[in-house]
Amino acid sequence: MNQQMGKFITLEGNEGSGKSSNISYIQSYLQNIGIDLVVSREPGGTALAENIRELLLHKHQEPMHPMTELLLVFAARAQHFNQLILPSLERGAWVLCDRFTDATYAYQGGGRELPEQYIAELETLVQKEVRPDYVLLMDVDVATGLQRIAERSEKDRFEDQEVAFFERVRACYLARAKVDKQRYFIVDTNQPLEQAQKQIEQYLQKILLESGIDG
């Protein structure tokens, strides 16, 4: 009998949406009930993909063309997907990933305004038919999110974009969630962390129930 594929869960969201805090919460929740869990991030996830991440986040003297950015994102994803994500799913482990291809639609599609068709073609080329089983979208008002990241150290190349860029990113995320409500769960991270995590717990219980696991 073939090994049943594990579940693929991704966390998405605009800058300052609380993904880092909440991914740790989700990791603990799932591991505490005995889920074999692999936690990763994008861009990155393997040594080579992390090197590409540095190229993407670092500010360069030479402006990076949006198409260069898109191809670098998928170069990192191809390595990450084939070396870590797919093998983990195929052995039955669950994968929890901080960002995946929805981020590309939001940032390079919505933010950079590249044609969605380009992203869809690369998505199929790299991932074949594999898509996240569930997407937890951490949704925060752009102004609130930017205020949160302003309190951090120096901004990376993406965090330093104009407000309109992030408005387009958020709008794209919400539009994608609206058309596939079975896979996308929107978490209101404008609210205090404890309340957001109660909402996340409800979604995790739904995921476990649909997966035939008593959480």
Side-chain angles (χ1 to χ4, degrees), residues 41 43-54 56 72 75-77 79-80:
R41 70 174 183 177
T46 74
L48 181 54
E50 288 288 337
N51 288 337
I52 299 173
R53 178 188 178 90
E54 288 300 312
L56 283 161
L72 283 173
R77 181 163 300 135
Q79 188 70 13
H80 184 211

Side-chain angles (χ1 to χ4, degrees), residues 14 106-107 109-113 142-143 146 158-172:
N14 214 330
Y107 280 79
R112 302 292 188 213
E113 300 182 283
V142 170
L146 292 180
F158 284 97
E159 293 171 340
D160 208 25
Q161 301 300 306
E162 72 281 2
V163 173
F165 173 89
F166 294 115
E167 293 286 4
R168 293 193 299 271
V169 168
R170 185 187 183 209
C172 184

